[in-house]
Short mmCIF file of all heavy atoms in Angstrom, two decimals:
data_model
loop_
_atom_site.label_atom_id
_atom_site.label_comp_id
_atom_site.label_asym_id
_atom_site.label_seq_id
_atom_site.Cartn_x
_atom_site.Cartn_y
_atom_site.Cartn_z
N TYR A 50 70.46 -58.17 79.16
CA TYR A 50 70.49 -58.06 80.57
C TYR A 50 71.92 -58.11 81.15
O TYR A 50 72.12 -58.56 82.26
CB TYR A 50 69.66 -59.16 81.19
CG TYR A 50 68.18 -58.91 81.17
CD1 TYR A 50 67.27 -59.63 80.36
CD2 TYR A 50 67.63 -57.88 81.95
CE1 TYR A 50 65.91 -59.38 80.38
CE2 TYR A 50 66.23 -57.62 81.99
CZ TYR A 50 65.42 -58.36 81.21
OH TYR A 50 64.09 -58.06 81.20
N VAL A 52 73.79 -56.02 82.44
CA VAL A 52 74.03 -55.41 83.70
C VAL A 52 73.77 -56.33 84.93
O VAL A 52 74.25 -56.05 85.99
CB VAL A 52 73.19 -54.13 83.96
CG1 VAL A 52 73.56 -52.98 83.01
CG2 VAL A 52 71.70 -54.40 83.82
N HIS A 53 72.99 -57.35 84.65
CA HIS A 53 72.66 -58.33 85.75
C HIS A 53 73.52 -59.60 85.72
O HIS A 53 73.17 -60.57 86.34
CB HIS A 53 71.20 -58.68 85.66
CG HIS A 53 70.24 -57.55 85.93
ND1 HIS A 53 70.32 -56.78 87.08
CD2 HIS A 53 69.20 -57.09 85.22
CE1 HIS A 53 69.40 -55.84 87.02
NE2 HIS A 53 68.69 -55.98 85.92
N ARG A 86 57.07 -47.11 84.46
CA ARG A 86 57.44 -47.94 85.64
C ARG A 86 56.30 -47.93 86.63
O ARG A 86 56.01 -48.97 87.28
CB ARG A 86 58.74 -47.51 86.23
CG ARG A 86 59.92 -47.86 85.29
CD ARG A 86 61.29 -47.88 85.92
NE ARG A 86 61.43 -48.95 86.96
CZ ARG A 86 61.99 -50.10 86.72
NH1 ARG A 86 62.48 -50.43 85.53
NH2 ARG A 86 62.08 -50.95 87.71
N THR A 92 58.80 -54.70 90.64
CA THR A 92 59.43 -55.87 89.97
C THR A 92 58.73 -57.17 90.41
O THR A 92 58.44 -58.02 89.55
CB THR A 92 60.91 -55.89 90.31
OG1 THR A 92 61.54 -54.66 89.96
CG2 THR A 92 61.61 -56.99 89.54
N ARG A 103 51.99 -55.58 86.41
CA ARG A 103 52.65 -56.70 87.02
C ARG A 103 51.78 -57.34 88.14
O ARG A 103 51.74 -58.57 88.30
CB ARG A 103 54.00 -56.29 87.59
CG ARG A 103 55.03 -56.13 86.46
CD ARG A 103 56.28 -55.40 86.88
NE ARG A 103 57.39 -55.64 86.00
CZ ARG A 103 58.60 -55.08 86.14
NH1 ARG A 103 58.80 -54.19 87.14
NH2 ARG A 103 59.60 -55.35 85.32
N HIS A 116 58.59 -55.24 80.84
CA HIS A 116 59.88 -54.62 81.13
C HIS A 116 59.77 -53.10 80.85
O HIS A 116 59.02 -52.71 79.91
CB HIS A 116 61.02 -55.21 80.24
CG HIS A 116 62.27 -54.36 80.22
ND1 HIS A 116 63.23 -54.52 81.21
CD2 HIS A 116 62.64 -53.33 79.46
CE1 HIS A 116 64.22 -53.63 80.95
NE2 HIS A 116 63.86 -52.89 79.90
N GLY A 117 60.55 -52.33 81.56
CA GLY A 117 60.69 -50.91 81.28
C GLY A 117 62.05 -50.40 81.65
O GLY A 117 62.64 -50.84 82.65
N SER A 118 62.62 -49.52 80.83
CA SER A 118 63.95 -48.91 81.16
C SER A 118 63.88 -48.22 82.46
O SER A 118 62.81 -47.78 82.93
CB SER A 118 64.32 -47.96 80.04
OG SER A 118 64.09 -48.48 78.77
N ASP A 119 65.07 -48.01 83.07
CA ASP A 119 65.08 -47.40 84.42
C ASP A 119 65.73 -46.01 84.44
O ASP A 119 65.70 -45.36 85.48
CB ASP A 119 65.72 -48.34 85.47
CG ASP A 119 67.18 -48.62 85.17
OD1 ASP A 119 67.75 -48.02 84.28
OD2 ASP A 119 67.73 -49.50 85.88
N THR A 123 69.78 -45.67 80.20
CA THR A 123 69.41 -47.07 79.95
C THR A 123 68.43 -47.18 78.80
O THR A 123 68.56 -48.05 77.94
CB THR A 123 68.75 -47.69 81.23
OG1 THR A 123 69.56 -47.40 82.34
CG2 THR A 123 68.59 -49.16 81.08
N GLU A 127 69.02 -49.38 75.57
CA GLU A 127 68.09 -50.50 75.26
C GLU A 127 67.39 -50.29 73.92
O GLU A 127 67.23 -51.29 73.17
CB GLU A 127 67.05 -50.61 76.38
CG GLU A 127 67.64 -51.08 77.73
CD GLU A 127 66.60 -51.26 78.80
OE1 GLU A 127 65.46 -50.82 78.64
OE2 GLU A 127 66.96 -51.80 79.86
MG1 MG B 202 65.60 -53.00 85.34
#
Side-chain angles (χ1 to χ4, degrees):
Y50 279 114
V52 292
H53 293 308
R86 291 195 66 97
T92 305
R103 283 166 160 177
H116 166 85
S118 313
D119 64 9
T123 311
E127 291 182 350

